[in-house]
Amino acid sequence: MISFDSKNKTFKLDTPNTSYVIGVVDFDQLVNLYYGDKIADTEGLEARSFRPRCASFSPLTSEYNTDAHDFSPDCAPMEYGCNGCGDFRTSALSIRNVDGNTVTDMRYEGYRIYAGKPSIDPLPAVYLNSESEADTLEIDMADKVTGMRVTLIYTAFNSLDVIIRSARIENASQRPADIDRAMSMCVDLPGMDYDLITLYGRHCKERSEERRPLAHGLQGIASKRGVSSHCQNPFAALVSKNADENSGEAYGFNLVYSGNFEFCTECDYSGTSRILMGINPTDFTWHLEPGESFQTPEAVMVHTSKGIGEMSRIYHKLYNFNLVPGKYRTEKRPLLINSWEAAFFDFDTDKLVSFAERAKEFGMDMLVMDDGWFGDKYPRNNGTSSLGDWVVCKEKLPEGIKGLTASAREKGLKFGIWIEPEMTNSKSELFEKHPEWVIQQPHREMHKGRGGTQLVLDLSNPEVQEFVFGVVDKLMTAHPEIAYIKWDANMTLFNYGSTYLPRDKQSHLYIAYHRGLENILKRIHAKYPGLVMQACASGGGRINYGMLPYYDEFWTSDNTDALQRIFIQWGVSNFFPAVAMASHVSVDTNYQTGRKTPLKLRFDVAMSGRMGMELQPAHMTDEDKAFARRAIADYKLIRPVVQQGDLYRLISPFDKTGYASLMYVSPEKDHAAYFVYKLEQYHNMPRPAFRMAGLDPQKRYLVRELSLDGKPIPQDGKTFTGAFLMETGLDFEVGGEHASHVLELKAAE
Ligand code: GLA
């Protein structure tokens, strides 16, 4: 619901539990008046933008310094703070005019309110299922001196506490201009009594939670690698000091963009906390000829006063209903066996067929052939060659992909395949033919990635886009049975430069790359709507909303060590649901960490996400095979609730208590899956009460232990009220280091 109060000149955007208020004040300045829990009345709010601050009151004269009552962008909560017009905080918009100065002074001009949501082509965007799902407000602003204009776009959801923001900048002048900075959103919240939560990481250690107090000055996260990166992803939350999973205020911010981004907070003397999120201004400058416009990506803002867990659940719902392609809202994701850690590059048809046989025996749904299946002149036997040469390697697969799809079909399994279509190697037929197709800088030696040969294709070039689309199109045309694609991207955008873009548009490359990718993905999705796609970038190098709505899930990390996955998945769960997290049981003595963990722990961790396997069944003992069959059958019992239920995080691994636990509850609260893991063991270790959350206090639940390997917990087979399970909790011994338990809870009749 969005309304305009013409008397007070305020816009009010309401979601079920939140309000966002914007005011048009003196001199047609646009200010943020409120963002938080839903309010009924906005009268008097505009005083906030004139509030005397700091030293405006003199105890000697007992007088206010009246100057401080004049409107000043310096200390007002500006709705889209601009550069060079008296607002000295980091700006949302900075435009270099043809005369060289960078002053941008946007004033309110008018507005539109309508049902639904605009298209923001050529960028990925949150979609609506019907126009009644959300309303949109567009506010027009103009700089009377330069002729530049900006339209601020807000979409408020009617059944979810989500507000989406973006901005469209238009050159309505007669002369060219350059945008140096254009953020998707800017909010000035009163006070700075918040903690900032971000997710730091690196390859194989993605998404570690970091919580720190807001401090004066600038704080933030960013990527300048051309992609969102392993180090940071475009998500941040601002939470009240007392906020925990179940209570306290939480503001979430997510950018629907996969390229360079910046999120920053700035607290200055004015007592406001400015929050900015958008495309990283480094290497960004965007040239606008008269009449041209630039659209920023969307930022998804969430507010709740029911804790960090509720913020995540709101994001999970958005993912399910308004971000992913939509085919899995009710369907279950396939259980798959992937060849990577099972065989790496060393496989042939027989080996893959034997995986398929075992997978079927274990109760799995799909066989996925990972890297290593292609290359004619240069067969792909390691990471040094062949990307771009997407023809079957005849030595490994003499009957081609057809031989494999046929065996999979025979065994009642679906078939999936790995590709890395945005990349090539200097040792490849593609590079020999088209050296100009890779991202490169003139007169400089190219930095090469994996294998000392990897290079990134220049997707700003439409010919290259056609080629990449063709990789998928040819595969799908020849093998319509391919049901799943693991789409990898193992290099950041090094060698920043394009042989396609003209000299004055070189700074457009990072954006043009992502527009090119969007164009390819849109065409793939339109032609093959049933295809399931996983986004992988050396694991979690590209986990963000910008990869949606074309990808269904993420390979969250190349680190398959079950113990470390608990942390990684915990971090990812802040803004992605379990169904988005591919989580595979891999071999003992883990390849990445050298750690040995029990098969049960590996299964129990994989069961809390979209479960799969990456190991050679032939190497398992009979006992392990029997356990795998049991655990897979049990996963199927809880798959709907894990994949579609509401997540409740209970004991955080980041709290270092030695335990971690979480649970999923069905929307009807009649079915739940509970997980607890022992991360470490020490003498005299205190045992917490295993309290649950999200259940119906009135209902009685039958507790059943799943994935059983030994004696069940004493409460197995007994019923308890939701109130007991949430208030008192179950008391049982988890066992030694790396022990784990999975419980199914079903509402008793
Ligand atoms: C990346 C992926 C892995 C695997 C390999 C194949 O590292 O993250 O899962 O697909 O590439 O080369």
Side-chain angles (χ1 to χ4, degrees):
M1 242 297 269
I2 301 179
S3 55
F4 179 58
D5 173 346
S6 54
K7 186 168 147 263
N8 293 314
K9 283 193 149 177
T10 49
F11 296 95
K12 184 161 180 275
L13 292 76
D14 284 330
T15 67
N17 303 294
T18 68
S19 295
Y20 187 98
V21 184
I22 306 161
V24 182
V25 294
D26 285 2
F27 315 111
D28 289 329
Q29 297 276 11
L30 203 65
V31 292
N32 185 279
L33 296 179
Y34 180 81
Y35 184 30
D37 277 348
K38 197 166 192 162
I39 50 172
D41 190 0
T42 59
E43 216 180 276
L45 269 182
E46 73 280 2
R48 217 197 110 196
S49 57
F50 296 96
R51 200 166 52 197
R53 292 168 201 275
C54 313
S56 57
F57 178 75
S58 162
L60 291 180
T61 59
S62 294
E63 275 177 6
Y64 278 99
N65 165 5
T66 47
D67 285 354
H69 293 265
D70 292 341
F71 182 86
S72 158
D74 184 19
C75 54
M78 302 302 287
E79 187 57 22
Y80 199 64
C82 293
N83 205 55
C85 54
D87 178 351
F88 299 101
R89 290 158 291 185
T90 307
S91 68
L93 183 65
S94 175
I95 300 172
R96 202 154 13 99
N97 304 303
V98 80
D99 53 17
N101 82 60
T102 53
V103 178
T104 308
D105 192 356
M106 291 290 171
R107 304 292 171 104
Y108 172 79
E109 285 231 312
Y111 75 96
R112 289 169 295 288
I113 294 173
Y114 54 90
K117 186 174 173 297
S119 149
I120 64 153
D121 254 6
L123 290 167
V126 172
Y127 67 85
L128 297 184
N129 300 285
S130 80
E131 276 208 343
S132 59
E133 214 173 346
D135 295 320
T136 293
L137 162 69
E138 294 194 8
I139 299 180
D140 295 323
M141 300 177 80
D143 184 328
K144 296 219 163 51
V145 173
T146 63
M148 298 300 290
R149 300 176 67 82
V150 61
T151 300
L152 301 180
I153 307 169
Y154 304 79
T155 299
F157 276 66
N158 292 323
S159 56
L160 216 49
D161 291 312
V162 167
I163 293 175
I164 294 172
R165 282 191 65 174
S166 70
R168 193 170 52 242
I169 295 104
E170 191 196 335
N171 184 355
S173 78
Q174 304 299 319
R175 304 184 300 174
D178 289 300
I179 309 174
D180 285 333
R181 184 177 177 87
M183 291 289 117
S184 296
M185 55 146 290
C186 169
V187 182
D188 287 348
L189 293 176
M192 50 182 284
D193 229 5
Y194 299 101
D195 283 345
L196 174 62
I197 299 178
T198 53
L199 303 169
Y200 172 75
R202 55 180 183 268
H203 181 231
C204 284
K205 198 184 184 306
E206 293 87 342
R207 312 288 92 90
S208 292
E209 280 186 2
E210 284 189 323
R211 183 169 174 164
R212 54 189 138 148
L214 274 198
H216 283 107
L218 281 165
Q219 278 167 292
I221 54 168
S223 171
K224 289 185 249 173
R225 294 164 186 262
V227 287
S228 65
S229 95
H230 287 88
C231 310
Q232 295 289 357
N233 59 291
F235 159 81
L238 232 61
V239 303
S240 52
K241 296 279 180 200
N242 63 350
D244 59 19
E245 281 297 319
N246 302 314
S247 64
E249 248 193 319
Y251 293 90
F253 305 95
N254 250 304
L255 195 66
V256 188
Y257 186 60
S258 199
N260 286 344
F261 74 92
E262 181 179 283
F263 170 89
C264 75
T265 57
E266 184 168 8
C267 304
D268 74 348
Y269 84 98
S270 69
T272 51
S273 298
R274 170 160 293 182
I275 301 151
L276 290 161
M277 189 174 227
I279 291 176
N280 195 314
T282 307
D283 294 328
F284 156 74
T285 303
W286 193 269
H287 185 72
L288 281 184
E289 286 295 323
E292 285 182 344
S293 61
F294 179 80
Q295 167 71 50
T296 73
E298 293 182 334
V300 183
M301 309 193 301
V302 163
H303 172 269
T304 175
S305 47
K306 293 190 192 133
I308 303 163
E310 181 66 7
M311 176 201 72
S312 297
R313 287 187 289 277
I314 295 170
Y315 277 126
H316 296 174
K317 288 197 178 96
L318 190 79
Y319 162 91
N320 254 323
F321 293 99
N322 305 92
L323 277 162
V324 280
K327 52 188 171 286
Y328 275 120
R329 268 176 228 155
T330 49
E331 271 179 49
K332 296 172 260 17
R333 293 273 167 99
L335 267 149
L336 58 86
I337 184 155
N338 176 298
S339 65
W340 182 240
E341 286 199 25
F344 294 105
F345 295 99
D346 177 22
F347 60 80
D348 56 18
T349 310
D350 289 349
K351 203 180 248 186
L352 292 177
V353 169
S354 87
F355 289 169
E357 261 157 14
R358 294 286 166 274
K360 187 64 197 167
E361 258 175 51
F362 285 165
M364 308 207 97
D365 310 313
M366 189 186 281
L367 166 71
V368 177
M369 173 168 66
D370 210 284
D371 195 356
W373 60 268
F374 51 93
D376 181 19
K377 180 172 169 191
Y378 305 109
R380 173 89 166 170
N381 291 321
N382 52 48
T384 63
S385 71
S386 328
L387 295 173
D389 302 346
W390 301 106
V391 288
V392 157
C393 170
K394 284 271 166 1
E395 287 145 44
K396 290 184 190 170
L397 308 174
E399 287 114 53
I401 295 171
K402 277 212 160 49
L404 285 171
T405 49
S407 315
R409 185 183 342 116
E410 216 175 84
K411 299 186 171 49
L413 288 167
K414 292 182 177 168
F415 181 77
I417 196 164
W418 178 97
I419 49 174
E420 197 179 352
E422 297 160 75
M423 308 283 160
T424 188
N425 294 102
S426 52
K427 190 172 161 194
S428 72
E429 292 186 71
L430 180 70
F431 185 72
E432 285 169 358
K433 206 161 141 207
H434 285 296
E436 78 286 5
W437 275 10
V438 302
I439 290 185
Q440 58 193 281
Q441 291 151 343
H443 320 300
R444 292 184 201 277
E445 203 174 316
M446 279 188 258
H447 171 92
K448 303 199 182 82
R450 188 180 184 190
T453 54
Q454 187 152 340
L455 293 161
V456 185
L457 293 175
D458 180 358
L459 298 193
S460 71
N461 181 342
E463 254 188 292
V464 180
Q465 291 171 25
E466 196 57 42
F467 169 80
V468 175
F469 170 74
V471 173
V472 175
D473 196 33
K474 282 188 192 126
L475 268 176
M476 294 302 294
T477 310
H479 311 289
E481 281 167 293
I482 294 177
Y484 175 99
I485 283 184
K486 175 175 175 182
W487 179 302
D488 215 335
N490 288 311
M491 190 173 172
T492 52
L493 306 192
F494 250 106
N495 308 311
Y496 179 71
S498 167
T499 61
Y500 172 76
L501 294 172
R503 198 181 156 275
D504 63 340
K505 298 253 167 80
Q506 287 292 313
S507 63
H508 289 199
L509 177 60
Y510 282 144
I511 313 252
Y513 184 93
H514 287 280
R515 287 181 173 188
L517 181 61
E518 168 76 8
N519 176 34
I520 296 161
L521 293 169
K522 194 172 271 174
R523 288 176 67 193
I524 294 172
H525 184 61
K527 193 156 175 192
Y528 304 105
L531 186 63
V532 181
M533 296 225 287
Q534 178 187 82
C536 174
S538 307
R542 216 155 60 167
I543 300 191
N544 59 66
Y545 283 6
M547 294 312 283
L548 308 168
Y550 306 107
Y551 294 87
D552 303 273
E553 61 174 37
F554 295 97
W555 184 230
T556 53
S557 181
D558 273 351
N559 186 348
T560 55
D561 177 322
L563 205 65
Q564 296 192 350
R565 270 289 175 129
I566 295 170
F567 292 81
I568 293 167
Q569 294 178 183
W570 197 274
V572 175
S573 80
N574 274 286
F575 57 109
F576 280 108
V579 72
M581 292 188 236
S583 186
H584 296 176
V585 177
S586 66
V587 290
D588 195 15
T589 309
N590 184 270
Y591 280 114
Q592 291 80 18
T593 61
R595 183 186 280 115
K596 282 184 165 297
T597 50
L599 186 64
K600 175 165 165 58
L601 178 75
R602 282 177 275 147
F603 264 99
D604 288 359
V605 172
M607 282 170 93
S608 71
R610 196 283 283 137
M611 183 160 97
M613 283 177 89
E614 263 188 55
L615 51 78
Q616 286 211 34
H619 295 169
M620 294 167 84
T621 63
D622 286 347
E623 206 182 313
D624 283 352
K625 283 182 194 158
F627 174 75
R629 270 193 291 274
R630 249 187 350 261
I632 289 167
D634 282 354
Y635 179 66
K636 289 185 179 172
L637 299 175
I638 53 170
R639 177 160 54 170
V641 72
V642 170
Q643 297 191 356
Q644 304 299 332
D646 292 326
L647 167 70
Y648 289 85
R649 288 177 295 243
L650 302 165
I651 305 175
S652 170
F654 293 101
D655 285 348
K656 299 194 174 85
T657 57
Y659 293 90
S661 81
L662 67 154
M663 69 189 294
Y664 300 97
V665 183
S666 69
E668 300 75 27
K669 299 192 181 294
D670 56 357
H671 195 192
Y674 172 88
F675 299 83
V676 58
Y677 311 108
K678 187 85 165 280
L679 307 177
E680 58 180 333
Q681 170 74 31
Y682 49 91
H683 194 60
N684 287 335
M685 188 168 173
R687 186 166 83 204
F690 296 118
R691 290 200 193 93
M692 303 192 181
L695 300 170
D696 179 341
Q698 312 296 334
K699 283 194 163 86
R700 284 195 83 78
Y701 293 91
L702 172 67
V703 173
R704 228 163 59 82
E705 178 151 15
L706 302 182
S707 155
L708 203 55
D709 187 23
K711 262 179 46 181
I713 60 164
Q715 294 86 349
D716 178 59
K718 300 197 172 121
T719 66
F720 303 89
T721 62
F724 175 82
L725 293 166
M726 293 192 288
E727 287 162 8
T728 310
L730 295 181
D731 182 24
F732 57 84
E733 189 57 64
V734 179
E737 194 166 58
H738 306 166
S740 54
H741 292 277
V742 180
L743 308 180
E744 182 189 32
L745 280 81
K746 269 193 155 170
E749 293 307 311

